[in-house]
C-alpha cells in the first residue's frame, strides 16, 4: 500500500509539472533531467523508515541516488560507476559485520544444546546441515546445502560473484514465520522451499532480479518465509 501511495504521488507531481511546463510556468523537462536522482534518494529514505523493508537494499538505493545526483550537479568528475562499486563493497562489508542473528549466535546456541554434534557434514557435492540458523558467504565460489532442521529460524546468505543453493524441503520452521536475508552481487542464490510454506518477497533488485516461482498457498495458517536483501547485478530465485 505504501508503494502504491508513493507511485501515485509521484505520478501526480510529474503530471502537474508537465502541465505547468505547457503553460510556460516552469521548465519541467530541465528540472527532471537535473534532479531525477532525488527520486532514488526519496525511495531509499522512505524504505529505511519501513521496518518491513530491507535496510541494506534501501541504503544502496539511497547511495546510488546521492552519487547520481552529485553527478548531475557536476560535483563528481569522470565515470560515476567508478564510485558505485566501492560504495557497494563497503555496504556489503558493513552488512556482514553488523547484521543480527549471525553465525556466532547460532554456534553459541548449537554448542549449548548439541555439544557433540557438528551440525553439518558433506555428501557428494552437497553439504547436509541441521543448523537452525544458517550463515553463508561465498566469494567467487559456490556452495550447495540441504538443510533438514526441524527448528529452522532463518538464514543470511551472501553470494559475491558466486552461487548459493539452499534446499529447505526437509526443514520445518521454529514458529509461524522466519526470515532469510539473501544478497546476490554479480552472483546467484537459489532457495527451494516446502510446498506448504508461503513466501513473501521484500528484497530490492538493483540491475538484478528477485523471482518467486512458488505457487499460491491457500492455508491461512501456513508458515511464512520472508525474503529480504538485495540483488545487485545478480539474481535471487525461490521455488518449490
Amino acid at each position: 500500500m505504501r508503494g502504491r501511495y508513493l507511485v501515485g504521488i509521484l505520478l501526480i507531481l510529474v503530471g502537474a509539472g508537465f502541465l505547468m511546463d505547457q503553460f510556460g510556468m516552469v521548465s519541467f523537462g530541465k528540472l527532471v533531467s537535473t534532479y531525477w536522482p532525488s527520486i532514488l534518494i526519496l525511495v531509499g529514505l522512505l524504505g529505511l523508515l519501513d521496518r518491513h523493508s530491507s535496510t541494506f537494499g534501501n541504503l544502496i538505493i539511497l547511495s546510488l541516488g546521492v552519487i547520481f545526483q552529485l553527478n548531475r550537479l557536476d560535483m563528481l568528475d569522470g565515470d560515476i560507476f567508478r564510485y558505485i562499486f566501492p560504495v557497494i563493497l563497503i555496504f556489503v562489508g558493513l552488512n556482514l559485520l553488523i547484521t543480527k542473528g549471525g553465525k556466532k549466535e547460532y554456534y553459541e546456541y548449537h554448542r549449548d544444546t548439541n555439544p557433540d554434534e557438528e551440525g553439518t557434514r558433506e555428501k557428494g557435492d552437497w553439504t547436509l546441515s541441521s543448523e537452525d540458523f544458517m550463515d553463508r558467504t561465498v566469494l567467487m565460489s559456490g556452495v550447495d546445502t540441504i538443510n533438514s532442521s526441524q527448528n529452522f529460524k532463518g538464514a543470511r546468505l551472501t553470494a559475491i560473484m558466486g552461487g548459493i543453493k539452499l534446499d529447505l524441503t526437509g526443514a520445518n520452521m521454529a514458529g509461524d514465520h522466519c526470515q532469510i536475508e539473501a544478497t546476490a552481487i554479480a552472483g546467484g542464490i537459489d532457495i527451494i522451499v516446502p510446498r506448504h510454506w508461503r513466501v513473501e518477497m521484500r528484497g530490492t533488485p538493483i540491475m538484478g532480479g528477485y523471482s518467486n516461482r512458488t505457487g499460491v498457498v491457500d492455508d491461512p495458517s501456513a508458515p511464512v518465509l520472508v525474503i529480504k536483501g538485495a540483488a545487485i547485478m545478480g539474481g535471487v530465485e525461490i521455488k518449490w
Side-chain angles (χ1 to χ4, degrees):
M1 291 298 294
R2 294 181 181 181
R4 290 180 57 188
Y5 287 135
L6 176 60
V7 172
I9 292 172
L10 288 175
L11 290 176
I12 292 172
L13 293 176
V14 170
F18 279 118
L19 186 61
M20 294 172 66
D21 186 83
Q22 293 301 313
F23 285 109
M25 300 173 63
V26 295
S27 179
F28 188 67
K30 183 177 180 180
L31 287 176
V32 170
S33 65
T34 302
Y35 293 103
W36 68 262
S38 296
I39 297 176
L40 295 178
I41 296 175
L42 178 61
V43 170
L45 290 174
L46 292 177
L48 291 175
L49 298 177
D50 184 358
R51 64 185 181 89
H52 296 296
S53 185
S54 169
T55 301
F56 175 70
N58 286 303
L59 285 174
I60 293 293
I61 292 176
L62 178 61
S63 300
L64 291 177
V66 171
I67 291 174
F68 283 123
Q69 186 62 76
L70 292 176
N71 180 67
R72 297 305 300 169
L73 296 174
D74 296 325
M75 299 177 67
L76 291 179
D77 297 327
D79 184 6
I80 62 171
F81 288 98
R82 65 177 181 174
Y83 300 99
I84 292 176
F85 188 66
V87 168
I88 291 176
L89 290 181
I90 290 172
F91 277 120
V92 170
L94 290 174
N95 185 60
L96 294 175
L97 291 176
I98 66 178
T99 301
K100 296 180 180 179
K103 186 180 291 185
K104 178 180 179 182
E105 288 82 354
Y106 161 71
Y107 278 120
E108 289 177 349
Y109 166 82
H110 195 272
R111 184 178 61 248
D112 293 340
T113 55
N114 302 280
D116 298 325
E117 183 182 349
E118 293 182 1
T120 61
R121 63 186 187 277
E122 298 293 330
K123 182 179 180 180
D125 294 331
W126 288 81
T127 297
L128 304 183
S129 171
S130 59
E131 297 168 90
D132 295 334
F133 184 91
M134 290 185 59
D135 193 337
R136 297 289 187 275
T137 299
V138 299
L139 175 62
M140 293 185 290
S141 62
V143 61
D144 301 337
T145 302
I146 299 174
N147 188 299
S148 58
S149 170
Q150 299 304 296
N151 195 36
F152 187 70
K153 298 178 180 179
R156 182 175 62 183
L157 310 175
T158 305
I160 305 173
M161 293 181 286
I164 294 177
K165 293 182 180 179
L166 174 60
D167 187 339
L168 294 171
T169 53
N172 283 309
M173 288 189 194
D176 58 359
H177 73 281
C178 67
Q179 176 177 297
I180 292 180
E181 182 173 344
T183 301
I185 302 175
I189 297 176
D190 295 328
I191 303 174
I192 306 172
V193 301
R195 288 184 174 270
H196 65 282
W197 286 14
R198 186 165 68 250
V199 176
E200 294 184 4
M201 304 289 284
R202 299 177 185 171
T204 303
I206 303 172
M207 294 183 288
Y210 266 80
S211 175
N212 182 5
R213 298 188 180 277
T214 63
V216 177
V217 179
D218 295 325
D219 184 2
S221 62
V224 177
L225 175 64
V226 178
I227 307 295
K228 300 177 68 175
I232 306 170
M233 295 181 290
V236 176
E237 181 177 276
I238 316 299
K239 59 188 176 181
W240 282 341

